[in-house]
C-alpha cells in the first residue's frame, strides 16, 4: 500500500496585458538565480476559508504592488515540484491586467 504525502499549495497568477504580454519575475532565492517565477505564493494556514482570488490578490499586492487586474477564476495549469520545505502543488490562474504601476518588491522586504 502506498504512503500518502502532504503538499503545500501555492497559487500563482499568469498576468496578461492587452498586448498578450505576460509578467514574469526573476527568481533570486534557493539557487534559482536566472530562473523566472510568477506572482503568487503559498497558502497560509489561516487562509483555509479564503478564496483563491483573495489569496492571489494578497500575494500579488506584496510582490508587484497595488495593480488592478481582472481575476478570471480560470485554473489554467497545475503542477507539482520538490520544494525546499517539502512537496508543493502549484495552481496557476489567469489574470487580465487593467491598470496600475507594477512595482516589483525585493524578496525579503515583503510586508
Amino acid at each position: 500500500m502506498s504512503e500518502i504525502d502532504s503538499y503545500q499549495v501555492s497559487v500563482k497568477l499568469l498576468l496578461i496585458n492587452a498586448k498578450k504580454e505576460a509578467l514574469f519575475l526573476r527568481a533570486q532565492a534557493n539557487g534559482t538565480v536566472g530562473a523566472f517565477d510568477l506572482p503568487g505564493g503559498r497558502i497560509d494556514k489561516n487562509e483555509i476559508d479564503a478564496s483563491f482570488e483573495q489569496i492571489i490578490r494578497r500575494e500579488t499586492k506584496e510582490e508587484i504592488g497595488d495593480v488592478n487586474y481582472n481575476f478570471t477564476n480560470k485554473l489554467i495549469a497545475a503542477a507539482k515540484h520538490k520544494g525546499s520545505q517539502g512537496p508543493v502543488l502549484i495552481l496557476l490562474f489567469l489574470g487580465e491586467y487593467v491598470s496600475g504601476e507594477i512595482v516589483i518588491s525585493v524578496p525579503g522586504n515583503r510586508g
Side-chain angles (χ1 to χ4, degrees):
M1 180 178 256
S2 298
E3 196 175 326
I4 296 174
D5 203 353
S6 296
Y7 282 72
Q8 295 181 45
V9 179
S10 180
V11 290
K12 298 287 186 171
L13 183 70
L14 181 62
L15 188 60
I16 305 289
N17 66 15
K19 296 184 211 178
K20 303 295 183 202
E21 298 168 323
L23 174 67
F24 288 89
L25 308 175
R26 252 187 228 283
Q28 298 180 6
N30 300 326
T32 58
V33 175
F36 291 92
D37 198 0
L38 295 166
R42 295 185 184 163
I43 298 175
D44 293 341
K45 278 187 172 184
N46 66 342
E47 292 179 313
I48 190 66
D49 294 324
S51 69
F52 289 130
E53 179 178 7
Q54 291 170 318
I55 297 164
I56 288 175
R57 288 196 183 277
R58 175 188 58 78
E59 287 284 348
T60 55
K61 187 171 184 176
E62 291 174 6
E63 295 181 6
I64 62 173
D66 200 10
V67 175
N68 298 312
Y69 59 88
N70 294 322
F71 181 78
T72 64
N73 205 30
K74 182 177 181 180
L75 179 65
I76 57 174
K80 59 185 178 177
H81 78 95
K82 294 177 184 175
S84 60
Q85 299 173 359
V88 180
L89 175 66
I90 302 167
L91 304 175
L92 180 60
F93 291 88
L94 181 62
E96 300 165 344
Y97 173 82
V98 175
S99 66
E101 181 181 358
I102 294 173
V103 179
I104 309 297
S105 69
V106 175
N109 291 343
R110 297 179 180 147

